[in-house]
Amino acid sequence: MSVLPGAEPYRHEGGETAVLLCHGFTGSPQSLRPWAEHLAARGLTVSLPLLPGHGTRWQDLGVTGWQDWYAQVDRELRLLRDRSERLFVAGLSMGGALALRLAARHGDAVSGVAVVNPANRMHGVAAHALPVLRHLVPTTKGIASDIAKPGSTEIGYEKVPLHAAHSLRNFFRLVDGELPQVTQPLLLMHSPQDHVVPPADSARILGRVSSTDVTEVLLEQSYHVATLDHDAERIFDESTAFIGRLAPGAVKEPETGLGKEGTTTGG
């Protein structure tokens, strides 16, 4: 199945410090591409994979589950770990949950975690009914492009397969139980006005992790997909400063156009 234009995975070979970026549920690398290019332009090695079932057709998502999505980022982390001195994980929404689980399970191999509007549970009146509802109703409406900035859009599915949503619900429960195992420095950035993931999810994550080095940043001008919204530059700058503090010397002065020279592959 061909990948939607703009939804391709992205990789940039930079220095000895690497960042693994994880996109969200029903989304694609497009939502994090500017962030990835920002980091790449500053000398960092960056990997932004396309999760299975994403970036093609919503029907493809319906035959995947959290095990597939997590296996993809876990595989990328292991590849980066073998060639990097320091490794950071980051993500948006479900991608934030993926990043947190990577941190919980890989321990000292991960130097820090940066998440944007991380998801912790399913919301909505039908969330509790997913185990049964998924057998009766195949899809619900999509959640893409919750963005305040005019003209900014996210590549995402117009429908959400309920089998995949049920799997995501199970994944959130799993990650919630593992949050106390997250001990790394944490940068958590979230939007007070988020129509997909409420601020309560960020509050719960902050209350359950064991990290002692924690920075919370409010993205006042953005909705859920803040990486494509008014606060995008703040996200990029805060994460770059976070990495630079924890990995002295890793962040370089940007060279014009460098970030766009990463490898993009279709699938």
Side-chain angles (χ1 to χ4, degrees):
M1 179 56 59
S2 60
V3 174
L4 294 169
E8 304 88 355
Y10 172 88
R11 187 177 182 92
H12 174 80
E13 292 293 335
E16 293 300 312
T17 295
V19 184
L20 171 57
L21 293 169
C22 309
H23 70 75
F25 184 62
T26 78
S28 78
Q30 177 257 355
S31 62
L32 300 183
R33 182 65 178 259
W35 193 4
E37 292 178 346
H38 177 96
L39 297 171
R42 284 148 184 81
L44 300 166
T45 290
V46 181
S47 177
L48 171 52
L50 175 63
L51 301 180
H54 291 75
T56 54
R57 309 177 309 156
W58 65 261
Q59 292 90 338
D60 297 327
L61 182 59
V63 294
T64 67
W66 74 259
Q67 295 92 340
D68 304 301
W69 314 325
Y70 181 76
Q72 179 71 42
V73 295
D74 186 78
R75 186 160 49 244
E76 291 288 333
L77 182 144
R78 293 173 189 275
L79 291 172
L80 291 171
R81 183 185 63 190
D82 291 342
R83 56 89 60 215
S84 307
E85 289 183 0
R86 289 167 298 232
L87 173 62
F88 293 83
V89 293
L92 166 69
S93 194
M94 177 188 77
L98 290 168
L100 288 163
R101 186 166 202 246
L102 289 171
R105 294 182 65 86
H106 286 276
D108 292 343
V110 175
S111 297
V113 186
V115 292
V116 178
N117 291 322
N120 178 257
R121 57 172 293 189
M122 296 292 288
H123 298 276
V125 293
H128 69 283
L130 276 173
V132 174
L133 195 61
R134 65 194 173 108
H135 296 293
L136 305 173
V137 182
T139 65
T140 187
K141 65 178 181 179
I143 55 174
S145 283
D146 184 35
I147 302 172
K149 185 177 180 180
S152 185
T153 58
E154 177 189 23
I155 296 176
Y157 294 148
E158 72 277 9
K159 295 183 179 181
V160 178
L162 291 193
H163 279 296
H166 178 254
S167 183
L168 179 61
R169 179 175 182 252
N170 291 337
F171 179 63
F172 286 155
R173 288 180 169 182
L174 176 68
V175 175
D176 188 67
E178 295 177 341
L179 286 176
Q181 299 173 41
V182 176
T183 60
Q184 298 90 340
L186 172 64
L187 170 63
L188 192 151
M189 300 169 276
H190 66 97
S191 307
Q193 294 187 78
D194 186 326
H195 306 98
V196 178
V197 175
D201 281 29
S202 289
R204 180 168 178 83
I205 290 167
L206 289 171
R208 287 186 58 75
V209 297
S210 298
S211 307
T212 55
D213 181 343
V214 176
T215 304
E216 180 182 9
V217 175
L218 294 182
L219 307 172
E220 301 278 4
Q221 307 302 317
S222 301
Y223 294 161
H224 183 62
V225 192
T227 49
L228 298 177
D229 216 326
H230 293 295
D231 291 296
E233 289 297 329
R234 186 173 186 196
I235 292 169
F236 307 161
D237 291 342
E238 292 280 0
S239 59
T240 302
F242 176 72
I243 293 168
R245 174 170 66 85
L246 296 171
V251 178
K252 313 298 182 185
E253 286 298 314
E255 296 181 26
T256 304
L258 177 62
K260 297 185 183 298
E261 294 174 3
T263 301
T264 297
T265 58

